Amino acid sequence: MSVRPPSAAATSSSEKGGMMAEAESDTITTQVPSRLDRLPWSRFHWRVVIGLGSVWILDGLEVTMVGNVAARLTEDGSGLDISAG
């Protein structure tokens, strides 16, 4: 990991007394992204993608089912005394 000096120090004046304040921004460069790009796509990655995709589909199905059933349960004569509000 290497640290480069800031290209220019940003300055701003504060409202109290006209004092000048300096804010420096350091840029940190790493090789982490390039190392991650070189890693091979493995069986673990497929497991994560398939697992998350399955859960995403099941979550959408569950929300749809609850939305449809809840509307029917709040109707008059449904057998349950549930109010919509």
Side-chain angles (χ1 to χ4, degrees), residues 57-73:
I57 290 170
L58 291 174
D59 183 52
L61 179 64
E62 182 260 341
V63 168
T64 303
M65 287 172 39
V66 168
N68 289 329
V69 170
R72 296 289 292 171
L73 289 177

Side-chain angles (χ1 to χ4, degrees), residues 2-85:
S2 64
V3 178
R4 292 186 293 177
S7 59
T11 59
S12 64
S13 62
S14 82
E15 297 293 322
K16 298 177 182 176
M19 297 174 57
M20 299 298 285
E22 282 192 26
E24 294 184 20
S25 62
D26 294 332
T27 302
I28 299 174
T29 58
T30 66
Q31 295 186 13
V32 173
S34 61
R35 291 184 69 186
L36 288 173
D37 287 340
R38 286 192 306 261
L39 288 174
W41 189 264
S42 67
R43 184 173 165 184
F44 169 75
H45 297 102
W46 281 115
R47 282 179 145 176
V48 170
V49 168
I50 291 171
L52 290 175
S54 301
V55 170
W56 187 29
I57 290 170
L58 291 174
D59 183 52
L61 179 64
E62 182 260 341
V63 168
T64 303
M65 287 172 39
V66 168
N68 289 329
V69 170
R72 296 289 292 171
L73 289 177
T74 57
E75 290 178 355
D76 289 334
S78 66
L80 298 173
D81 191 20
I82 298 175
S83 64

